[in-house]
Amino acid sequence: MLKILKGGLQTSVQDLGRTGFQKYGVIASGVMDPFAHRLANLLVGNDERFATLEISLVGPKIQFTEDTLIALCGGDLSPKMDGTAIKTWRMLVVKKDSTLTFGEPRIGARCYLAVAGGIKVEELMGSRSTYLRAGIGGFQGRSLAKGDEIHSDEMTLLQVKALNRNSETEFDWLVPPVRYFEEPIIRMIKGKQFELFNDSSKEQIFTEAFTVSGNSDRMGYRLEGPNLSLENPTELISEAVAFGSVQVPIDGNPIILMADRQTTGGYPKIGQVASVDLPLIAQLKQGQSLRFKEISLADAQQRLIEQEQHIREIKASIQLKQEEWK
Amino acid sequence: MKASFSPLGDQAIAVELGNKIDEETEKQVRKLSVLLESRQPEWLIEVIPAFITVSVFYDPCVATYAVVKTEIEELLEQLGEDLLIQSRTIEIPVCYGGEFGPDLEFVAQHNNLTPREVIDIHTSGDYSVHMIGFAPGFPFIGGMSEKIAAPRRDSPRLRIPERTVGIAGNQTGAYPIETPGGWQLIGRTPIRLFRPEDAIPSLLRAGDKIIFKEISERAYYAWEEEPNAENT
């Protein structure tokens, strides 16, 4: 069990999100950085779809009431176990009564804590993700707070064996961490309404830097930069949006729609972030900036296919390592 | 109109089946959605129907954009006429103006009406639900009089209380949960539109007929959830 001694800024139970209910307006939810979440799960020998804790900027304080395996992937929020700095992007053996704390967010904004067996909460509409705004799903529909007791599901035999080997050194390997840049280049496909924008907007979206504003959250990243506008103001007919849709409301400041995005929207979409670059956005903090670079649909799909192959390779090499647990 | 296709990012395709909101286009939207869900192609993740579009989410590791587009084109040729469309009538009580409807004055001024006239026009419309979207159980409702149309706000509000009724362009709707949004807010209903515990978590569905009924602030607070929701 995980005893929450401090909740942190926003720590919530998330998995890969809710699918099939968007037609009822039920948002997808799920992790902001699917790549880090999946690797954290794989590192401890979990199915990548299991629930993890998504930790944002100011981390929680968590006491483990039993021996377990964990992994932290994503941003480096200065994690410490019983006061000693620990590494991200690797599996760790945790002893009963150890306490996990976090410090300054050094690189990135979100870190995923996977626990052997996965975080155990009731499924709602096929997912364990917390839908914060509706107050449903995950752990009591909210971010974790002091006093919460979070359970993990049963471990596999292999995970139990790993625990019993009890030799830290042989687990001392890690997967290549993702580099989160101070000013990342985000690849973007032109949006459905791209051609409706005026010439300067069409140019500036790919040439100027945009800054992440303070109103950014799990729903969307609001950006500030050159003012974007349509050639001729038009009221659009609402239609579906997606993770990474870049909408431009009338105030001219683009919004990148993220995990807690609405299902549909009526603002023009100037672009759509390539799926492989979504984790880079999820790791941005307020005040950081980014630049967009055009990518074709075919290339974006190719990169996504390559990323899936890459994850499969990492998974295979992790499994090979885990053979040693036997 | 011939269907047009465009990518919605690298994992979805938007199929546009008309260029304005009308009954024929809505029928096509519902038919294509139903057909896709019954066929369950291997690449299909989920379908989001809207007013004139069906957005189809797919797994690009199974099929690329071109393949998905071709298969949807084939399905479009099979859209028959034999689709049953249910129609229910749901009454939605609304307490207009005051703290519940901070933009009622704006909508009135924008249309050279009094707030009273806006309410009278809003409660006398012949409404139907075009689609559910934007927020869980959020109905986009058609049939509102152009006399009370009002543009979206320049910048969306960061918080709109749940069950608030609003206007955007020629559309009216109600926010089921607290959410950001750009609509002009005219009132609030005591009825829950989002019911996550139900198998179909939305009270309203595309095709439903709607009646807005004005209630007093006292009636609003006295309203007991459920009884009047579905018995009209």
Side-chain angles (χ1 to χ4, degrees), chain A residues 300-315:
Chain A
Q301 294 198 323
Q302 189 51 39
R303 296 291 146 75
L304 186 61
I305 291 165
E306 283 164 15
Q307 188 188 59
E308 288 307 310
Q309 279 164 355
H310 177 57
I311 291 175
R312 273 202 299 277
E313 283 161 20
I314 293 174
K315 191 174 172 178

Side-chain angles (χ1 to χ4, degrees), chain B residues 28-47:
Chain B
Q28 293 289 103
V29 164
R30 270 195 263 172
K31 281 179 186 173
L32 178 61
S33 308
V34 167
L35 194 58
L36 271 164
E37 287 182 336
S38 64
R39 293 287 169 87
Q40 285 291 325
E42 205 192 342
W43 39 259
L44 182 67
I45 294 173
E46 71 180 312
V47 174

